[in-house]
Amino acid sequence: MIQLDVSATAALIFLPFCLPIAVWVAFNDMKFMKIPNLAVACLMGVFLIGGLFLLPLDVYFQRWLQFVVILIVGFIANMFGLLGAGDAKFGAAMAPFIALGDIGSFMILFAIVLIAAFTTHRLARKSTLIRGATQDWESWEVSDFPMGLTLGSVLIFYLGLGAVYGA
């Protein structure tokens, strides 16, 4: 049986607020190859307010430290061209939602979602039916992969699993 360190209550409460933001990020990144700063700010706002009510203060502040660490790592990765600035910012905004004890499980989930998202995106890009309905999507035309699809999806899967299997 799966057991996650994330509080099932926190995951369940965060999920409906994070879901529309994650869908917005995935859609926007596929269509425009950009993750809006407003989406990053909204996700941070959800944690800023919700985390105060759902987590013990020491855990709440430790999660903000996770944000800072991931933001620094993300910006360094961006400097080396490994990912976009929007990906770095959104990844950092996601970090406070991940329980420290779940990092290993989250990375496995991230790898699975990345492979699934990449494969699905590349297959959809070759589909004339899908391309016909989404002709103006920039991600069909560039070689880069819209990581917002993966980032938004993995956050939702993690919170969903946390709501069901969390501590």
Side-chain angles (χ1 to χ4, degrees), residues 53-112:
F53 294 100
L54 296 169
L55 301 171
L57 274 182
D58 61 328
V59 173
Y60 179 74
F61 290 119
Q62 179 260 317
R63 300 278 187 92
W64 279 112
L65 180 59
Q66 289 173 204
F67 163 78
V68 171
V69 168
I70 298 303
L71 187 64
I72 291 168
V73 169
F75 277 136
I76 291 169
N78 176 254
M79 286 176 21
F80 287 102
L82 300 174
L83 70 154
D87 303 330
K89 291 182 280 187
F90 193 74
M94 288 172 45
F97 292 92
I98 313 305
L100 192 58
D102 289 342
I103 297 298
S105 299
F106 181 81
M107 293 309 294
I108 292 168
L109 181 62
F110 179 83
I112 292 167

Side-chain angles (χ1 to χ4, degrees), residues 77-149:
N78 176 254
M79 286 176 21
F80 287 102
L82 300 174
L83 70 154
D87 303 330
K89 291 182 280 187
F90 193 74
M94 288 172 45
F97 292 92
I98 313 305
L100 192 58
D102 289 342
I103 297 298
S105 299
F106 181 81
M107 293 309 294
I108 292 168
L109 181 62
F110 179 83
I112 292 167
V113 172
L114 175 60
I115 292 166
F118 182 83
T119 302
T120 303
H121 181 267
R122 292 310 196 233
L123 289 172
R125 184 161 81 170
K126 292 180 183 215
S127 165
T128 55
L129 180 64
I130 293 172
R131 291 282 300 258
T134 56
Q135 294 174 20
D136 59 342
W137 283 19
E138 194 170 327
S139 69
W140 303 145
E141 306 303 326
V142 297
S143 62
D144 292 344
F145 172 68
M147 277 300 291
L149 176 60

